[in-house]
Structures are given as structure tokens and as C-alpha cells.
Amino acid sequence: MKRLSLLAAALLASSGAALTVTGKVEGTVPADTRVSGWAVSVSGQPVQEIVSVPVNGGQFRLEVPGASPSFRAQTALNPQNVTWPGVLDPVIVSAETQTAELKFFTYRDANRNGQNDEGEELREVTLSAGRGSLFVVWVNSDVAVKASRGYEVALKRGWNAFVVEVGRAVKVAPFKDGVAAVSLSLGR
């Protein structure tokens, strides 16, 4: 198994409506490799490819559109289905809303059509920032989520990016301009 790393920075537009993730790949990556962001089901299965870009010259820039994900990629946000990093019962959700979690994946675009097709295996990419992990979620209205061990986050309508650090307590902070290490494990 080959281990590669990427450096990525996530920047939120001042309106909170758009998210940009840029990065640099350290190591050798096949020419047809793409980095993509997917809205996933509550169980973490990819449902809708939101954005996808090729890795060019060892770099990429994902611009997540400000538009909401498709209805099939959305789920109702309630205390029973919050399976986000660092969230443990009891969970409190301040209002009813729709949500979609965004996870990042890579794949080899064998036919070079710019989208993931059947037979092009998705490999999840873990983004980390310091001791925490980058978490990206969309909501259709403002909502606050609280859980045990100090988990507390206020989400604004649209895409939101946070760094979640899990320890004895859970720290959640808005992700600001900075660098996140992204690790890819590419098998044969």
C-alpha cells in the first residue's frame, strides 16, 4: 500500500454560501486521479457527487457550489440520526431542518469524462487540521447542535466547515484559513 499526503486549505466565503478547498499533492498520483466532494447518506455512503476536479501538477482546487444538494442527498436533522464526528448521546437539535454531510473521495477517472462512473472505485480521503478533523455539512436553515462532552456547533444556512477535535472533551471550531493535512492510502 502506498501512502501519499495532500495539503489542503478550506476557505469559507463571507456569506457562508460557498466553500473552496485547495490542496497540493505530495508524492506521485496517477494522471487520471480526481478529488471529489460527495453528499453522503446518514451511514456515510456516497449519494451525490457535488464537486470533482482533476489533480493537475500535484494540485487541486475544489469549489463547492453554494446551491443545495439534491433532495435525495438530504436527510432530516434530528437527534437520532446525527452521526457526525465527535457526537455522542444525548444530542439536542434546536430546530427541524434538512442536512447533508459532505465527505471527500478520490477516484481514477478511467474514461476521463470528469465524473465518477460505475467501476471507478471511490476512496475516502481523511482531512485533518492539527489534532482535529475537518467536517463539512449543509443545512437548509440555521440550527444549533449540542451533544455530550462539550460538543456544540451553530450552523448557518448553506455549507459550513468546522474542525472537530475529539478528546476527553469535544472541541468544535469554525475552520478558518489554514492548512489541513489530507492523507490518501492508495492500494494496488
Side-chain angles (χ1 to χ4, degrees):
M1 190 174 299
K2 189 173 188 180
R3 192 159 221 29
L4 304 174
S5 68
L6 298 166
L7 295 179
L11 311 168
L12 284 173
S14 59
S15 68
L19 171 69
T20 300
V21 179
T22 60
K24 177 182 177 188
V25 178
E26 295 177 352
T28 305
V29 175
D32 57 358
T33 299
R34 293 183 73 83
V35 177
S36 59
W38 288 73
V40 297
S41 67
V42 174
S43 63
Q45 296 301 307
V47 175
Q48 178 189 6
E49 187 175 36
I50 302 293
V51 63
S52 172
V53 296
V55 176
N56 287 320
Q59 299 185 16
F60 68 92
R61 181 180 174 93
L62 284 170
E63 294 188 16
V64 179
S68 60
S70 71
F71 185 75
R72 70 182 183 91
Q74 298 177 30
T75 187
L77 181 63
N78 62 56
Q80 292 76 36
N81 70 0
V82 180
T83 58
W84 303 342
V87 172
L88 297 172
D89 286 334
V91 178
I92 299 169
V93 177
S94 67
E96 289 186 27
T97 189
Q98 291 293 107
T99 187
E101 181 180 351
L102 186 75
K103 288 192 175 185
F104 298 97
F105 295 84
T106 62
Y107 62 89
R108 301 219 24 216
D109 188 13
N111 62 5
R112 298 186 185 258
N113 69 349
Q115 63 186 23
N116 183 258
D117 296 305
E118 190 173 329
E120 296 175 343
E121 181 183 357
L122 290 173
R123 296 178 187 261
E124 188 170 345
V125 180
T126 302
L127 286 83
S128 61
R131 297 185 212 200
S133 59
L134 182 64
F135 173 68
V136 179
V137 66
W138 172 89
V139 290
N140 73 341
S141 62
D142 295 357
V143 64
V145 177
K146 294 181 181 181
S148 65
R149 299 190 337 181
Y151 188 102
E152 187 171 343
V153 64
L155 303 168
K156 299 291 182 190
R157 181 180 181 178
W159 291 103
N160 296 262
F162 294 90
V163 175
V164 180
E165 186 179 331
V166 179
R168 289 183 181 211
V170 178
K171 297 178 187 175
V172 182
F175 189 76
K176 298 180 181 180
D177 297 355
V179 177
V182 180
S183 297
L184 301 178
S185 293
L186 300 179
R188 298 181 112 196

